[in-house]
Amino acid sequence: MFASSHIFDPTAVLRTSSSSSQRRILSSNHVILPLIRPGVLGGQPLRKAGSKQQQDTRSACRVSASASGQPSTYIGSLSSNSLKFGIVAARFNELVTKPLLEGVLEGLERHGTPRETVDVAWVPGSFELPLIAKAMAKSGKYDAVITVGAVVRGATAHFDAVVSGATSGVLNASLDSGVPVIFCVMTTDTMEQALDRAGGKSGNKGFEAAVTAIETANVLKALGQQGLAKARDAW
Ligand SMILES: Nc1c(NC[C@H](O)[C@H](O)[C@H](O)CO)[nH]c(=O)[nH]c1=O
Ligand SMILES: CC(=O)[C@@H](O)COP(=O)(O)O
């Protein structure tokens, strides 16, 4: 799927445009992005020498206007080396949230963001995630914020209150700030289910959240470059 005689730059964005009713990948002088950074596959990033695309793809996202005026499709790069991230982590059930946090940091690192550049704020529980996430998002310092929590059902209805507050609060933080705030909060019936998703048999949802943050931030950046999204400080 990624075979290409051309050199590609993982900091681009794949864009297709429709022509008549057929969508097509743009001509061969456009680049096809790997869904995983070449270094992860052991491959070597190739580079298309000397083309306009190369100048374009040097930015976090490449968008080329469609000559036919047809609608375009934006698919965000999975390269994070031009992005800044913040994380808010809940200490409650830290048996789960600490491996989730590690998964987030590993995911960011494997796509170009050294963990030393990532700010991490700790809060008591998932109910406190939205306040700090919104503060970070509205600071203008971050291209995306990732919230990490683990809400495990107990004997009372408190589970529902915490999940409801955390979910709507994180969503509000994102929509209100115009910054992607990613919801990496386990909401499970048992601790085992939560641990399975924090590096157990179901993988690490923290790593997945990191990839989601990168792609969403890059799409928003591309739309902004096309005047299709307000600049963050105008949100
Ligand atoms: N039971 C869980 C909680 N409860 C604490 C709340 O998040 C909150 O800190 C408290 O209600 C004070 O505002 N938090 C979790 O993250 N996970 C739980 O399972
Ligand atoms: C999600 C919670 O708040 C829950 O773990 C607390 O347990 P309980 O409902 O037994 O008080």
Side-chain angles (χ1 to χ4, degrees):
M1 177 180 181
F2 307 126
S4 164
S5 58
H6 294 299
I7 292 172
F8 56 83
D9 180 328
T11 64
V13 64
L14 175 66
R15 177 187 172 282
T16 62
S17 79
S18 60
S19 61
S20 66
S21 60
Q22 295 301 318
R23 283 200 175 279
R24 59 188 169 80
I25 298 292
L26 299 181
S27 64
S28 63
N29 64 341
H30 288 270
V31 291
I32 302 284
L33 290 180
L35 291 183
I36 299 176
R37 203 161 65 106
V40 175
L41 297 176
Q44 290 303 316
L46 306 173
R47 189 164 299 285
K48 182 171 174 50
S51 74
K52 184 181 181 313
Q53 272 72 21
Q54 191 178 30
Q55 285 72 42
D56 293 347
T57 55
R58 285 189 193 286
S59 68
C61 285
R62 174 182 62 80
V63 179
S64 49
S66 161
S68 64
Q70 294 294 321
S72 297
T73 301
Y74 297 83
I75 299 174
S77 158
L78 297 187
S79 172
S80 65
N81 52 17
S82 66
L83 302 175
K84 175 74 176 166
F85 298 92
I87 300 173
V88 191
R91 203 177 301 110
F92 204 109
N93 289 329
E94 64 179 7
L95 185 65
V96 179
T97 59
K98 282 185 174 176
L100 283 176
L101 173 61
E102 176 56 30
V104 175
L105 294 170
E106 173 74 6
L108 295 177
E109 206 144 57
R110 296 278 291 273
H111 290 82
T113 300
R115 63 181 61 207
E116 302 76 35
T117 68
V118 181
D119 296 332
V120 180
W122 285 93
V123 294
S126 296
F127 198 80
E128 285 73 43
L129 290 172
L131 175 65
I132 306 307
K134 188 169 184 175
M136 289 177 107
K138 290 184 83 82
S139 73
K141 274 187 65 180
Y142 306 103
D143 294 291
V145 175
I146 299 157
T147 60
V148 174
V151 189
V152 179
R153 191 179 298 277
T156 71
H158 195 235
F159 169 88
D160 302 301
V162 173
V163 168
S164 172
T167 306
S168 56
V170 166
L171 180 59
N172 170 274
S174 192
L175 297 178
D176 190 47
S177 66
V179 172
V181 181
I182 307 305
F183 188 77
C184 184
V185 179
M186 303 302 102
T187 56
T188 60
D189 290 320
T190 67
M191 181 62 78
E192 182 188 16
Q193 288 172 341
L195 291 169
D196 282 348
R197 289 153 179 80
K201 65 181 182 181
S202 301
N204 192 309
K205 296 300 180 184
F207 192 100
E208 294 176 24
V211 178
T212 298
I214 295 164
E215 180 172 355
T216 309
N218 276 327
V219 170
L220 192 60
K221 190 174 248 186
L223 292 174
Q225 287 166 346
Q226 294 299 298
L228 300 177
K230 286 189 284 186
R232 185 181 308 137
D233 54 8
W235 204 275

